[in-house]
DNA sequence: GCATTTATATAAATGTCGATACAAAAATGA
DNA sequence: TCATTTTTGTATCGACATTTATATAAATGC
């Protein structure tokens, strides 16, 4: 027996709305994204927005989850899938470049979405901080695997080197936000790999 | 003959006020720094602030000039003063770490002061963007000098390598803002120097 | 002393933000 | 058809942001 839905049906698709909201947050950050921007991008009025998401903050949290699932996960999967550590790191960084130039203005939502720690942004900032810590953990785990695989010498400071590569991702985002081209961002990758070259230990 | 100053004298020191304003902008960014924060830190009421600076935007521009003169110039002088390129870059990066941990929360005003490009922040953002471009130019010039001095091989992409080291500074700022310790930030410097090692050409 | 000039304190004007009240609209179920 | 349920559109609320109007205070010049 089918329980039919009572009441007037929603006039828009919530998934579409969330995707649009994600794009606006990505482009303007949490503070910069005004409710006007969000509702205009989705094509709805404020009450529909609040009925669908609850609040701007809740919409942001949903948008971050969507961003991680649809956007940010690709470079981390590439990091994991590559046969060697060096190729994995390279693929991760190049994937970060792809993401950074795929929106206007450039950059990564997880890195640029909230930078200052006002009381208002606290929840949003903490969510992004947790996502960044997760990224860092994934990189460190891949580097440790590289040590096990013999890609990297024993005694490699995986945690510290992971922070370095996380830093390269942050630099890619910042410079993309400042208007850097894909070519300029890609040029950041090669010197970043030098630490892996100098550490390289032939098996 | 001395032209005495007519009218009630100002009850606070403008230089002190500008320094306090700089610290607030540094800690909270242009948007995040509210007039309440500024006037409370200085210890004056809004009309005194407007009489002294004209507007929040104008105060920010003055604060950025002060920041460049008193804070950000040190690492760039160290870059220039060092005898070798490698030592200059190392000194610049370590100076960036010093700056990044010298305020709470951490980071550099020129990098973190404005990240999103709202119409309201346009002027402030453009000022910081110009300052970052100037930083990039100074690094590139130092690297070109390194090529002339024989520190770096001919054909070194000075502009691209400068963008890389500017990126390391951005990473330092961002991770400092995320709460990284001095030790963690300093650990970013060593792997960053690897490109200069692998490029090193004995004279 | 008194007019003039400039700064301060209080209070408010003005605009914008996120969030809602309310009634009309659009669906179901009887 | 009509009661019920949920969404939509308009118009607005309350809070807070930057900025300013007004009156008072504190200095100089005559």
């Amino acid at each position: 027996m089918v329980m039919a839905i009572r009441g007037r049906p929603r006039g828009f698709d919530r998934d579409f709305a969330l995707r649009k909201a994600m794009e606006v947050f990505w482009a303007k950050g949490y503070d910069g994204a005004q409710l006007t921007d969000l509702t205009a991008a989705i094509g709805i009025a404020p009450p529909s927005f609040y009925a669908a998401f609850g609040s701007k903050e809740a919409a942001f949290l949903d948008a971050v989850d969507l961003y991680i699932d649809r956007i940010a996960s690709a470079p981390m999967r590439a990091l994991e899938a590559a046969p060697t550590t060096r190729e994995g790191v390279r693929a991760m960084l190049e994937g970060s470049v792809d993401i950074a130039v795929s929106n206007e203005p450039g950059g990564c939502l997880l890195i640029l979405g909230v930078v200052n720690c006002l009381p208002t942004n606290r929840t949003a900032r903490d969510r992004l901080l947790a996502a960044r810590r997760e990224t860092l953990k994934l990189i460190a785990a891949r580097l440790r695997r590289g040590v096990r695989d013999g890609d990297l010498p024993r005694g490699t400071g995986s945690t510290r080197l992971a922070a370095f590569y996380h830093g390269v991702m942050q630099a890619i985002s910042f410079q993309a936000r400042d208007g850097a081209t894909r070519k300029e961002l890609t040029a950041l990758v090669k010197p970043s790999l030098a630490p892996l070259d100098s550490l390289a230990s032939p098996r």
Side-chain angles (χ1 to χ4, degrees), chain A:
Chain A
M1 166 182 174
V2 179
M3 286 294 278
I5 300 164
R6 296 286 297 265
R8 177 173 174 174
R10 174 178 281 156
F12 61 97
D13 179 42
R14 192 186 184 277
D15 290 339
F16 169 84
L18 182 56
R19 193 159 52 80
K20 285 295 179 189
M22 181 194 79
E23 291 168 4
V24 172
F25 283 128
W26 188 1
K28 306 195 173 192
Y30 179 68
D31 300 294
Q34 303 175 0
L35 226 60
T36 304
D37 301 318
L38 294 164
T39 54
I42 300 171
I44 59 176
S48 299
F49 180 90
Y50 281 87
F53 298 109
S55 68
K56 177 181 166 180
E57 184 178 277
F60 181 78
L61 298 180
D62 278 2
V64 169
D65 288 342
L66 180 65
Y67 180 88
I68 292 173
D69 188 53
R70 301 288 175 89
I71 309 288
S73 59
M76 307 318 290
R77 282 197 306 267
L79 169 70
E80 194 59 32
T84 70
T85 307
R86 186 195 155 95
E87 276 315 301
V89 171
R90 176 203 288 273
M92 176 188 73
L93 296 178
E94 289 180 351
S96 296
V97 172
D98 290 338
I99 292 173
V101 299
S102 69
N103 205 39
E104 197 62 37
C108 170
L109 172 62
L110 305 182
I111 294 173
L112 302 179
V114 178
V115 293
N116 44 2
C117 346
L118 306 175
T120 328
N121 323 68
R122 182 60 183 273
T123 303
R125 195 193 102 93
D126 286 350
R127 177 70 189 92
L128 295 188
L129 190 55
R132 290 193 289 268
R133 296 232 166 93
E134 183 63 26
T135 301
L136 190 62
K137 266 176 60 179
L138 291 174
I139 300 173
R142 183 64 183 85
L143 294 178
R144 281 195 298 274
R145 186 185 123 195
V147 174
R148 288 200 307 276
D149 292 349
D151 282 345
L152 303 176
R154 292 181 184 282
T156 297
S158 299
T159 302
R160 293 186 180 177
L161 202 52
F164 171 76
Y165 284 111
H166 194 209
V168 176
M169 296 171 77
Q170 291 162 343
I172 289 169
S173 273
F174 256 99
Q175 297 188 20
R177 178 59 56 98
D178 272 1
T181 63
R182 168 185 285 275
K183 190 176 173 184
E184 290 169 326
L185 297 178
T186 304
L188 294 173
V189 175
K190 193 162 67 176
S192 307
L193 296 174
L196 294 182
D197 294 335
S198 61
L199 283 177
S201 71
R203 202 187 291 236

